[in-house]
Amino acid sequence: MCLGVPGRITEIWREDGAAYARADYVGETRKLCLNYLPDLQVGEYTIVHAGFALTRIDAAEAVETVRVMREVGVLPPEASGVAS
């Protein structure tokens, strides 16, 4: 099972003909592929599966998702990032 933690895009670049980004997931940074959502911009939020950005979500939804994940104990209460 995979948890859909929202990630905030912090950097975008092209590599070998594909669009890539770095995203902050409540304090953890990961590289992801933007081929399915090539119009994502720095500052926007996404849900990723298997290294591919699949869903764009707005900031309010990202903050609420992280709040609920913290409330139920999936994320630590003092993690930095999306909803700090």
Side-chain angles (χ1 to χ4, degrees):
M1 186 171 90
C2 184
L3 292 175
V5 178
R8 182 177 173 277
I9 304 296
T10 59
E11 175 185 6
I12 296 174
W13 71 94
R14 293 199 64 80
E15 179 180 315
D16 298 324
Y20 288 92
R22 232 170 265 304
D24 177 16
Y25 299 92
V26 290
E28 185 175 320
T29 301
R30 297 276 175 125
K31 177 181 174 181
L32 56 114
C33 183
L34 297 180
N35 282 357
Y36 297 124
L37 293 172
D39 60 337
L40 274 174
Q41 300 294 314
V42 170
E44 289 187 300
Y45 292 85
T46 185
I47 301 293
V48 174
H49 178 71
F52 290 86
L54 297 180
T55 305
R56 173 187 284 113
I57 62 173
D58 65 34
E61 184 177 357
V63 169
E64 178 63 10
T65 300
V66 170
R67 185 195 67 74
V68 170
M69 289 177 143
R70 287 181 173 156
E71 186 176 290
V72 299
V74 175
L75 294 174
E78 297 300 319
S80 63
V82 174
S84 292

Coordinates of all heavy atoms in Angstrom, one line a residue:
M1 N 0.8 -1.2 0.0 CA 0.0 0.0 0.0 C 0.9 1.2 0.0 O 1.9 1.3 0.6 CB -0.9 0.0 1.2 CG -1.9 1.1 1.2 SD -3.1 1.0 2.5 CE -2.3 1.9 3.8
C2 N 0.4 2.3 -0.6 CA 1.2 3.5 -0.8 C 0.3 4.6 -0.2 O -0.9 4.7 -0.4 CB 1.4 3.7 -2.2 SG 2.4 5.1 -2.6
L3 N 1.0 5.5 0.6 CA 0.3 6.7 1.1 C 0.4 7.9 0.2 O 1.5 8.1 -0.3 CB 0.9 7.1 2.5 CG 0.6 6.1 3.6 CD1 1.4 6.6 4.9 CD2 -0.8 6.0 3.9
G4 N -0.6 8.6 0.0 CA -0.6 9.7 -0.9 C -0.3 11.0 -0.2 O -1.1 11.9 0.0
V5 N 1.0 11.2 0.2 CA 1.4 12.4 0.9 C 1.6 13.5 -0.1 O 2.3 13.2 -1.1 CB 2.7 12.2 1.7 CG1 3.2 13.4 2.3 CG2 2.5 11.0 2.7
P6 N 1.0 14.6 0.0 CA 1.1 15.7 -0.9 C 2.6 16.2 -1.0 O 3.2 16.4 0.1 CB 0.2 16.8 -0.4 CG -0.7 16.1 0.5 CD 0.0 15.0 1.1
G7 N 3.1 16.5 -2.2 CA 4.4 17.0 -2.3 C 4.3 18.4 -3.0 O 3.5 18.6 -3.9
R8 N 5.1 19.3 -2.5 CA 5.2 20.7 -3.1 C 6.4 20.8 -4.1 O 7.5 20.5 -3.7 CB 5.3 21.7 -2.0 CG 5.3 23.1 -2.6 CD 5.4 24.1 -1.4 NE 5.5 25.5 -1.9 CZ 6.7 26.0 -2.2 NH1 7.8 25.4 -2.1 NH2 6.7 27.3 -2.6
I9 N 6.1 21.1 -5.3 CA 7.2 21.2 -6.3 C 8.1 22.3 -6.0 O 7.7 23.5 -5.8 CB 6.6 21.4 -7.8 CG1 5.6 20.3 -8.1 CG2 7.7 21.5 -8.8 CD1 6.1 18.9 -8.2
T10 N 9.4 22.0 -5.9 CA 10.4 23.0 -5.6 C 11.4 23.3 -6.7 O 12.0 24.4 -6.7 CB 11.2 22.6 -4.3 OG1 11.9 21.4 -4.6 CG2 10.3 22.4 -3.1
E11 N 11.4 22.5 -7.7 CA 12.4 22.6 -8.8 C 11.9 21.8 -10.0 O 11.3 20.7 -9.8 CB 13.8 22.2 -8.4 CG 14.8 22.2 -9.4 CD 16.1 21.6 -8.9 OE1 16.2 21.0 -7.8 OE2 17.1 21.6 -9.7
I12 N 12.1 22.3 -11.2 CA 11.7 21.6 -12.4 C 12.8 21.7 -13.4 O 13.5 22.7 -13.6 CB 10.4 22.2 -13.0 CG1 9.2 22.0 -12.1 CG2 10.1 21.6 -14.4 CD1 8.0 22.7 -12.5
W13 N 13.1 20.6 -14.1 CA 14.1 20.6 -15.2 C 13.8 19.5 -16.2 O 12.9 18.7 -16.0 CB 15.5 20.4 -14.6 CG 15.7 19.0 -14.1 CD1 16.3 17.9 -14.8 CD2 15.4 18.5 -12.8 NE1 16.4 16.8 -13.9 CE2 15.8 17.1 -12.7 CE3 14.9 19.0 -11.6 CZ2 15.7 16.3 -11.6 CZ3 14.7 18.2 -10.5 CH2 15.1 16.9 -10.5
R14 N 14.5 19.5 -17.3 CA 14.3 18.5 -18.4 C 15.6 17.6 -18.4 O 16.7 18.2 -18.2 CB 14.1 19.1 -19.7 CG 12.7 19.8 -19.8 CD 12.2 20.1 -21.2 NE 11.9 18.9 -21.9 CZ 10.8 18.1 -21.8 NH1 9.9 18.4 -20.9 NH2 10.7 17.1 -22.6
E15 N 15.4 16.4 -18.6 CA 16.6 15.4 -18.6 C 16.2 14.3 -19.6 O 15.2 13.7 -19.4 CB 16.7 14.9 -17.2 CG 17.8 13.9 -17.0 CD 17.9 13.5 -15.5 OE1 17.9 14.3 -14.6 OE2 18.0 12.3 -15.3
D16 N 17.0 14.0 -20.6 CA 16.8 13.0 -21.5 C 15.4 13.0 -22.2 O 14.8 12.0 -22.3 CB 17.1 11.6 -20.9 CG 18.5 11.4 -20.4 OD1 19.4 11.9 -21.0 OD2 18.7 10.8 -19.3
G17 N 15.0 14.2 -22.5 CA 13.7 14.4 -23.1 C 12.5 14.3 -22.2 O 11.3 14.4 -22.7
A18 N 12.6 14.2 -20.9 CA 11.5 14.1 -20.0 C 11.6 15.2 -19.0 O 12.6 15.8 -18.7 CB 11.6 12.7 -19.2
A19 N 10.4 15.6 -18.5 CA 10.3 16.6 -17.5 C 10.4 16.0 -16.1 O 9.7 15.0 -15.8 CB 9.0 17.4 -17.6
Y20 N 11.2 16.6 -15.2 CA 11.4 16.1 -13.9 C 11.2 17.2 -12.9 O 11.3 18.4 -13.3 CB 12.8 15.5 -13.7 CG 13.0 14.2 -14.4 CD1 13.5 14.1 -15.7 CD2 12.6 13.0 -13.8 CE1 13.6 12.9 -16.3 CE2 12.8 11.7 -14.4 CZ 13.3 11.7 -15.7 OH 13.4 10.5 -16.3
A21 N 11.0 16.9 -11.7 CA 10.9 17.9 -10.6 C 11.4 17.3 -9.3 O 11.6 16.1 -9.1 CB 9.4 18.3 -10.4
R22 N 11.7 18.2 -8.4 CA 11.9 17.9 -7.0 C 10.7 18.4 -6.2 O 10.2 19.4 -6.5 CB 13.2 18.5 -6.5 CG 14.1 17.5 -5.9 CD 15.5 17.9 -5.6 NE 16.5 17.7 -6.6 CZ 16.9 16.5 -7.1 NH1 16.2 15.5 -6.8 NH2 17.8 16.4 -8.0
A23 N 10.3 17.5 -5.3 CA 9.2 17.9 -4.4 C 9.5 17.7 -3.0 O 10.2 16.7 -2.6 CB 7.9 17.1 -4.8
D24 N 9.0 18.5 -2.1 CA 9.1 18.4 -0.7 C 7.9 17.8 -0.1 O 6.8 18.2 -0.3 CB 9.3 19.8 -0.1 CG 9.4 19.8 1.4 OD1 9.6 18.7 2.0 OD2 9.2 20.9 2.1
Y25 N 8.1 16.6 0.5 CA 7.0 15.9 1.2 C 7.2 16.0 2.7 O 8.0 15.2 3.3 CB 7.1 14.4 0.8 CG 6.9 14.2 -0.7 CD1 8.0 14.1 -1.6 CD2 5.6 14.1 -1.2 CE1 7.8 14.0 -2.9 CE2 5.4 13.9 -2.6 CZ 6.5 13.9 -3.4 OH 6.3 13.7 -4.7
V26 N 6.6 17.0 3.3 CA 6.8 17.3 4.7 C 8.2 17.0 5.2 O 8.4 16.3 6.2 CB 5.7 16.6 5.6 CG1 4.3 17.1 5.3 CG2 5.7 15.1 5.3
G27 N 9.1 17.7 4.6 CA 10.5 17.6 5.0 C 11.4 16.7 4.3 O 12.6 16.7 4.4
E28 N 10.9 15.8 3.5 CA 11.7 14.8 2.7 C 11.6 15.2 1.2 O 10.5 15.4 0.7 CB 11.2 13.4 2.9 CG 12.0 12.4 2.2 CD 11.6 11.0 2.5 OE1 11.2 10.7 3.7 OE2 11.6 10.2 1.6
T29 N 12.7 15.4 0.6 CA 12.7 15.8 -0.9 C 12.9 14.5 -1.7 O 13.8 13.7 -1.5 CB 13.9 16.8 -1.1 OG1 13.6 17.9 -0.3 CG2 13.9 17.2 -2.5
R30 N 12.1 14.5 -2.8 CA 12.2 13.4 -3.8 C 12.2 13.9 -5.2 O 11.6 14.9 -5.5 CB 11.0 12.4 -3.6 CG 11.0 11.7 -2.3 CD 11.8 10.5 -2.3 NE 11.9 9.9 -1.0 CZ 11.6 8.6 -0.7 NH1 11.2 7.9 -1.7 NH2 11.7 8.2 0.5
K31 N 12.8 13.1 -6.1 CA 12.8 13.4 -7.5 C 11.5 12.7 -8.1 O 11.2 11.6 -7.7 CB 14.0 12.9 -8.2 CG 14.1 13.1 -9.7 CD 15.4 12.5 -10.3 CE 15.4 12.5 -11.8 NZ 16.6 11.9 -12.3
L32 N 10.8 13.4 -9.0 CA 9.7 12.7 -9.7 C 9.6 13.1 -11.1 O 10.2 14.1 -11.6 CB 8.4 13.1 -8.9 CG 8.1 14.6 -8.8 CD1 6.9 14.9 -9.6 CD2 7.9 14.9 -7.3
C33 N 8.9 12.3 -11.9 CA 8.7 12.5 -13.3 C 7.4 13.3 -13.5 O 6.4 13.0 -13.0 CB 8.7 11.2 -14.1 SG 8.6 11.4 -15.8
L34 N 7.4 14.3 -14.4 CA 6.2 15.1 -14.7 C 5.6 14.8 -16.1 O 4.8 15.5 -16.6 CB 6.6 16.6 -14.7 CG 7.1 17.2 -13.4 CD1 7.4 18.6 -13.6 CD2 6.1 16.9 -12.3
N35 N 5.9 13.6 -16.7 CA 5.4 13.3 -18.0 C 3.9 13.3 -18.1 O 3.3 13.6 -19.1 CB 6.0 12.0 -18.5 CG 7.4 12.3 -19.0 OD1 7.9 13.4 -19.0 ND2 8.1 11.2 -19.4
Y36 N 3.2 12.9 -17.0 CA 1.8 12.9 -17.0 C 1.1 14.2 -16.7 O 0.0 14.4 -17.0 CB 1.2 11.8 -16.0 CG 1.6 10.4 -16.4 CD1 2.3 9.6 -15.5 CD2 1.4 9.9 -17.7 CE1 2.7 8.3 -15.9 CE2 1.7 8.6 -18.0 CZ 2.4 7.8 -17.1 OH 2.8 6.5 -17.5
L37 N 1.9 15.1 -16.0 CA 1.4 16.4 -15.7 C 2.5 17.4 -16.0 O 3.0 18.1 -15.1 CB 1.1 16.5 -14.2 CG -0.1 15.7 -13.7 CD1 -0.2 15.8 -12.2 CD2 -1.4 16.2 -14.3
P38 N 2.8 17.6 -17.3 CA 4.0 18.4 -17.7 C 3.8 19.9 -17.4 O 4.7 20.7 -17.4 CB 4.1 18.2 -19.2 CG 2.7 17.7 -19.6 CD 2.2 17.0 -18.4
D39 N 2.5 20.3 -17.1 CA 2.3 21.8 -16.8 C 2.3 22.1 -15.4 O 2.1 23.3 -15.0 CB 1.0 22.2 -17.5 CG -0.2 21.4 -16.9 OD1 0.0 20.3 -16.4 OD2 -1.3 22.0 -17.0
L40 N 2.7 21.2 -14.5 CA 2.9 21.5 -13.1 C 4.0 22.6 -12.9 O 4.9 22.6 -13.7 CB 3.3 20.3 -12.3 CG 2.2 19.4 -11.7 CD1 2.8 18.2 -11.1 CD2 1.3 20.1 -10.7
Q41 N 3.8 23.5 -12.0 CA 4.7 24.6 -11.8 C 5.3 24.5 -10.4 O 4.7 24.0 -9.5 CB 4.0 25.9 -12.0 CG 3.4 26.1 -13.3 CD 4.4 26.2 -14.4 OE1 5.4 27.0 -14.3 NE2 4.2 25.5 -15.5
V42 N 6.5 25.2 -10.2 CA 7.1 25.3 -8.9 C 6.0 25.9 -8.0 O 5.4 26.9 -8.3 CB 8.4 26.1 -9.0 CG1 8.9 26.5 -7.6 CG2 9.4 25.4 -9.7
G43 N 5.9 25.4 -6.8 CA 4.9 25.9 -5.8 C 3.6 25.1 -5.8 O 2.9 25.2 -4.8
E44 N 3.3 24.4 -6.8 CA 2.1 23.6 -6.8 C 2.3 22.3 -6.1 O 3.4 21.8 -5.9 CB 1.6 23.3 -8.3 CG 1.1 24.6 -9.0 CD 0.5 24.3 -10.3 OE1 1.3 23.7 -11.2 OE2 -0.7 24.5 -10.5
Y45 N 1.2 21.6 -5.8 CA 1.2 20.4 -5.0 C 0.7 19.2 -5.9 O -0.1 19.4 -6.8 CB 0.3 20.4 -3.8 CG 0.8 21.4 -2.8 CD1 0.5 22.8 -2.8 CD2 1.6 21.0 -1.7 CE1 1.0 23.6 -1.9 CE2 2.1 21.8 -0.8 CZ 1.8 23.2 -0.9 OH 2.3 24.0 0.1
T46 N 1.3 18.0 -5.6 CA 0.9 16.8 -6.4 C 0.9 15.6 -5.5 O 1.5 15.6 -4.5 CB 1.9 16.6 -7.6 OG1 1.5 15.6 -8.4 CG2 3.3 16.4 -7.1
I47 N 0.2 14.6 -6.0 CA 0.3 13.3 -5.4 C 1.0 12.4 -6.4 O 0.7 12.5 -7.6 CB -1.1 12.7 -5.2 CG1 -1.9 13.6 -4.2 CG2 -1.0 11.2 -4.6 CD1 -1.4 13.6 -2.8
V48 N 2.0 11.6 -6.0 CA 2.9 10.8 -6.8 C 2.7 9.3 -6.5 O 2.5 8.9 -5.4 CB 4.3 11.2 -6.6 CG1 5.3 10.3 -7.3 CG2 4.6 12.7 -6.9
H49 N 2.8 8.6 -7.6 CA 2.8 7.1 -7.4 C 3.9 6.5 -8.3 O 4.0 6.9 -9.5 CB 1.4 6.5 -7.8 CG 1.5 5.0 -7.7 ND1 1.5 4.3 -6.5 CD2 1.5 4.0 -8.7 CE1 1.5 3.0 -6.7 NE2 1.5 2.8 -8.0
A50 N 4.7 5.7 -7.8 CA 5.8 5.0 -8.5 C 6.7 6.1 -9.2 O 7.2 5.8 -10.3 CB 5.2 4.0 -9.5
G51 N 6.9 7.2 -8.6 CA 7.8 8.2 -9.1 C 7.2 9.1 -10.2 O 7.9 10.0 -10.7
F52 N 5.9 9.0 -10.5 CA 5.2 9.9 -11.4 C 4.2 10.7 -10.8 O 3.3 10.2 -10.0 CB 4.5 9.0 -12.5 CG 5.5 8.3 -13.4 CD1 6.1 7.1 -13.1 CD2 5.9 8.9 -14.6 CE1 6.9 6.5 -14.0 CE2 6.8 8.3 -15.5 CZ 7.3 7.1 -15.2
A53 N 4.2 12.0 -11.1 CA 3.2 12.9 -10.6 C 1.9 12.6 -11.3 O 1.8 12.6 -12.6 CB 3.5 14.4 -10.9
L54 N 0.8 12.2 -10.6 CA -0.4 11.7 -11.2 C -1.6 12.7 -11.0 O -2.5 12.7 -11.8 CB -0.8 10.4 -10.7 CG 0.1 9.2 -11.0 CD1 -0.4 7.9 -10.4 CD2 0.4 9.1 -12.5
T55 N -1.6 13.4 -9.9 CA -2.7 14.3 -9.5 C -2.2 15.6 -9.0 O -1.3 15.7 -8.2 CB -3.5 13.6 -8.4 OG1 -3.9 12.3 -8.9 CG2 -4.8 14.5 -8.1
R56 N -2.8 16.7 -9.5 CA -2.5 18.1 -9.0 C -3.5 18.3 -7.9 O -4.7 18.0 -8.1 CB -2.6 19.1 -10.1 CG -2.5 20.5 -9.6 CD -2.8 21.5 -10.7 NE -1.7 21.6 -11.6 CZ -1.7 21.2 -12.9 NH1 -2.8 20.7 -13.5 NH2 -0.7 21.4 -13.7
I57 N -3.1 18.9 -6.8 CA -4.0 19.3 -5.8 C -3.7 20.7 -5.3 O -2.6 21.2 -5.4 CB -4.0 18.3 -4.5 CG1 -2.7 18.3 -3.8 CG2 -4.4 16.9 -4.9 CD1 -2.7 17.5 -2.6
D58 N -4.8 21.4 -4.9 CA -4.5 22.8 -4.5 C -3.9 22.8 -3.1 O -3.9 21.8 -2.3 CB -5.8 23.6 -4.6 CG -6.9 23.2 -3.6 OD1 -6.7 22.8 -2.5 OD2 -8.1 23.4 -4.0
A59 N -3.4 24.0 -2.7 CA -2.7 24.1 -1.4 C -3.6 23.8 -0.2 O -3.1 23.2 0.7 CB -2.1 25.5 -1.3
A60 N -4.8 24.2 -0.3 CA -5.7 24.0 0.9 C -6.0 22.5 1.1 O -6.0 22.0 2.2 CB -7.1 24.7 0.6
E61 N -6.1 21.8 0.0 CA -6.3 20.3 0.1 C -5.0 19.7 0.6 O -5.1 18.7 1.4 CB -6.7 19.8 -1.3 CG -7.0 18.3 -1.3 CD -7.4 17.8 -2.6 OE1 -7.6 18.5 -3.6 OE2 -7.6 16.5 -2.7
A62 N -3.9 20.1 0.1 CA -2.6 19.6 0.6 C -2.4 19.8 2.1 O -2.1 18.9 2.9 CB -1.4 20.2 -0.1
V63 N -2.7 21.0 2.6 CA -2.6 21.3 4.0 C -3.6 20.4 4.8 O -3.2 19.9 5.9 CB -2.9 22.8 4.3 CG1 -3.0 23.1 5.8 CG2 -1.7 23.6 3.7
E64 N -4.8 20.3 4.4 CA -5.8 19.5 5.1 C -5.4 18.0 5.1 O -5.6 17.3 6.1 CB -7.2 19.7 4.5 CG -8.3 18.8 5.1 CD -8.5 19.2 6.6 OE1 -8.0 20.2 7.1 OE2 -9.3 18.4 7.2
T65 N -4.9 17.5 4.0 CA -4.5 16.1 3.9 C -3.4 15.8 4.9 O -3.4 14.9 5.7 CB -4.0 15.7 2.5 OG1 -5.1 15.9 1.6 CG2 -3.5 14.3 2.4
V66 N -2.4 16.7 5.0 CA -1.3 16.6 5.9 C -1.8 16.7 7.4 O -1.4 15.9 8.2 CB -0.1 17.6 5.6 CG1 0.9 17.6 6.8 CG2 0.5 17.3 4.3
R67 N -2.7 17.6 7.6 CA -3.3 17.8 9.0 C -3.9 16.5 9.4 O -3.7 16.0 10.5 CB -4.3 18.9 9.0 CG -4.8 19.2 10.4 CD -6.1 20.0 10.4 NE -7.2 19.4 9.8 CZ -7.9 18.4 10.4 NH1 -7.6 18.0 11.6 NH2 -9.0 17.9 9.8
V68 N -4.7 15.9 8.5 CA -5.4 14.6 8.9 C -4.4 13.5 9.1 O -4.5 12.7 10.0 CB -6.5 14.3 7.8 CG1 -7.0 12.9 8.0 CG2 -7.6 15.3 7.8
M69 N -3.4 13.4 8.2 CA -2.4 12.4 8.4 C -1.7 12.5 9.7 O -1.3 11.5 10.3 CB -1.4 12.4 7.2 CG -2.0 12.0 5.9 SD -0.8 12.1 4.5 CE -1.2 10.6 3.6
R70 N -1.4 13.7 10.1 CA -0.8 13.9 11.4 C -1.7 13.5 12.6 O -1.3 12.9 13.5 CB -0.3 15.4 11.6 CG 0.9 15.7 10.7 CD 1.3 17.1 10.9 NE 2.5 17.3 10.2 CZ 3.0 18.5 9.8 NH1 2.2 19.6 10.0 NH2 4.1 18.6 9.1
E71 N -3.0 13.9 12.4 CA -4.0 13.6 13.4 C -4.2 12.1 13.7 O -4.3 11.7 14.8 CB -5.3 14.2 13.0 CG -6.4 14.1 14.0 CD -7.7 14.8 13.5 OE1 -7.7 16.1 13.4 OE2 -8.7 14.1 13.2
V72 N -4.1 11.3 12.6 CA -4.3 9.9 12.8 C -2.9 9.2 13.0 O -2.9 8.0 13.1 CB -5.0 9.3 11.6 CG1 -6.4 9.8 11.5 CG2 -4.3 9.4 10.3
G73 N -1.8 9.9 13.1 CA -0.5 9.3 13.4 C 0.3 8.8 12.2 O 1.3 8.1 12.5
V74 N -0.1 9.1 11.0 CA 0.6 8.6 9.8 C 1.9 9.4 9.6 O 2.9 8.9 9.2 CB -0.3 8.6 8.6 CG1 0.5 8.3 7.3 CG2 -1.5 7.7 8.7
L75 N 1.8 10.7 10.0 CA 2.9 11.6 9.9 C 3.2 12.2 11.3 O 2.3 12.4 12.1 CB 2.7 12.8 8.9 CG 2.5 12.5 7.5 CD1 2.1 13.7 6.7 CD2 3.8 11.9 6.9
P76 N 4.5 12.4 11.6 CA 4.8 13.0 12.9 C 4.2 14.4 13.1 O 4.2 15.2 12.1 CB 6.4 13.0 12.9 CG 6.8 13.0 11.5 CD 5.7 12.3 10.7
P77 N 3.8 14.8 14.2 CA 3.2 16.1 14.5 C 4.1 17.3 14.2 O 3.6 18.4 13.9 CB 2.7 16.0 15.9 CG 3.5 15.0 16.5 CD 3.9 14.0 15.5
E78 N 5.4 17.2 14.3 CA 6.3 18.3 14.2 C 7.1 18.3 12.9 O 8.0 19.0 12.8 CB 7.2 18.4 15.4 CG 6.5 18.6 16.7 CD 5.7 19.9 16.8 OE1 6.2 20.9 16.3 OE2 4.6 19.9 17.3
A79 N 6.7 17.5 11.9 CA 7.4 17.5 10.7 C 7.4 18.8 10.0 O 6.3 19.5 10.0 CB 6.9 16.4 9.8
S80 N 8.4 19.2 9.3 CA 8.4 20.4 8.5 C 7.9 20.2 7.1 O 7.8 19.1 6.7 CB 9.9 21.0 8.4 OG 10.7 20.1 7.7
G81 N 7.5 21.2 6.5 CA 7.1 21.1 5.1 C 5.7 21.7 4.8 O 5.4 22.8 5.2
V82 N 4.8 20.9 4.2 CA 3.6 21.4 3.6 C 2.7 22.2 4.6 O 2.3 23.3 4.3 CB 2.7 20.2 3.1 CG1 1.4 20.6 2.6 CG2 3.5 19.5 1.9
A83 N 2.4 21.6 5.8 CA 1.5 22.2 6.6 C 2.1 22.8 7.9 O 1.4 22.9 8.9 CB 0.4 21.3 7.0
S84 N 3.3 23.2 7.9 CA 4.0 23.7 9.1 C 3.6 25.2 9.3 O 3.3 25.9 8.4 CB 5.5 23.6 8.9 OG 5.9 22.3 9.0

